[in-house]
Amino acid sequence: MLTVRKSQDRGYADHGWLKSFHSFSFAGYYDPEFMGWGNLRVINEDRIAPGTGFGTHGHRDMEIISYVLEGNLAHKDSMGNVKGIPPGDVQRMSAGSGVLHSEFNHAAGQQTHFLQIWIEPNVRGITPSYEQKTFVSDDKRGRLRLVASPTGEDGSVTVHADARLYAGLFDGDEEATLQLDAQRKAYVHLVKGELEVNGQKLTGGDAAMIEAESVLTFTKGKHAEVLVFTDLVH
């Protein structure tokens, strides 16, 4: 079963310096029907104004992934990491027993546009850790590139969670097929453009919630960038 959720049905918050779409209940947005999908808990599409950002705050027992689309996200944490995250990079922070961090847009005249993703871990109280890797566009062109997995296979970042995350770029005749475990949930988030998933048309910001399916096909892309989460627990 594939259920489409349209971009405009997401929650939205405008804080002036931050404009954020919430795929699932978060902060002031609450919808009991959209508390997450399996162990996928948060997908926030954030746009941070120049010279602003999230001050130091804490997390525990959560796998947090940042996927930057535009600009550069400046990250600083209590583990001693001071990093810039440009488009093409995937950052994974395992909050574990507790971590403090901040995220800022230091660029003058350019917003930072990124996806903040939270996945519930399969182990709690671990030592916090950080990982960041670059996945160039050519590796995602016309295919689904594994960017996060429990094993860190194929050069992906390692998440301490039951989840695999793929990123892909599709245009024109490019297409791909992905095999699924029908006993697990999957989730497709179309970052931008247009794309058909199992014949269902998605446009930028749309999502597809998937369960009891064994295969996904991606066709008819128009400047599409997509994230696909698989092996999610119920």
Side-chain angles (χ1 to χ4, degrees):
M1 184 170 65
L2 185 153
T3 304
V4 174
R5 189 178 188 213
K6 302 300 289 181
S7 174
Q8 62 267 27
D9 295 332
R10 295 178 292 174
Y12 179 69
D14 185 346
H15 301 287
W17 66 273
L18 170 69
K19 295 176 172 59
S20 182
F21 286 97
H22 305 312
S23 294
F24 306 113
S25 295
F26 186 88
Y29 166 62
Y30 175 73
D31 186 332
E33 293 187 10
F34 295 97
M35 298 300 295
W37 185 247
N39 53 322
L40 177 59
R41 180 61 188 85
V42 168
I43 301 179
N44 289 345
E45 183 180 357
D46 292 341
R47 290 174 171 86
I48 305 175
T52 67
F54 301 93
T56 301
H57 58 284
H59 296 281
R60 294 179 65 92
D61 290 324
M62 194 65 71
E63 297 293 295
I64 300 172
I65 294 172
S66 296
Y67 188 92
V68 177
L69 305 169
E70 177 187 4
N72 194 297
L73 186 66
H75 168 98
K76 183 177 181 180
D77 63 44
S78 54
M79 295 177 282
N81 297 297
V82 180
K83 302 283 188 178
I85 310 169
D89 276 22
V90 173
Q91 176 224 55
R92 182 271 303 166
M93 186 176 72
S94 299
S97 59
V99 66
L100 298 173
H101 79 139
S102 62
E103 296 162 301
F104 274 88
N105 173 15
H106 294 307
Q110 184 181 18
Q111 73 172 2
T112 291
H113 180 196
F114 78 108
L115 296 176
Q116 178 184 173
I117 299 160
W118 295 7
I119 305 173
E120 295 175 2
N122 55 21
V123 59
R124 293 181 175 273
I126 63 173
T127 300
S129 61
Y130 180 97
E131 190 176 11
Q132 182 175 335
K133 291 188 175 182
T134 302
F135 300 91
V136 298
S137 294
D138 285 351
D139 284 348
K140 296 175 279 190
R141 170 56 55 199
R143 64 187 290 259
L144 293 167
R145 172 67 162 96
L146 184 67
V147 298
S149 69
T151 59
E153 64 195 83
D154 296 333
S156 60
V157 300
T158 302
V159 288
H160 304 88
D162 295 306
R164 294 164 68 86
L165 173 58
Y166 299 82
L169 301 170
F170 294 93
D171 198 36
D173 294 333
E174 296 170 338
E175 57 183 65
T177 300
L178 185 63
Q179 300 297 318
L180 301 179
D181 179 348
Q183 304 302 313
R184 299 288 190 100
K185 290 186 173 184
Y187 190 90
V188 176
H189 179 86
L190 187 61
V191 177
K192 63 181 181 182
E194 298 180 5
L195 188 65
E196 287 194 7
V197 181
N198 286 12
Q200 295 280 336
K201 183 179 179 180
L202 303 181
T203 58
D206 291 354
M209 298 176 290
I210 297 145
E211 53 186 338
E213 294 283 350
S214 58
V215 65
L216 291 178
T217 58
F218 300 83
T219 58
K220 299 182 180 178
K222 293 182 180 178
H223 309 294
E225 183 167 7
V226 66
L227 294 181
V228 184
F229 301 82
T230 69
D231 295 343
L232 301 170
V233 296
H234 282 269

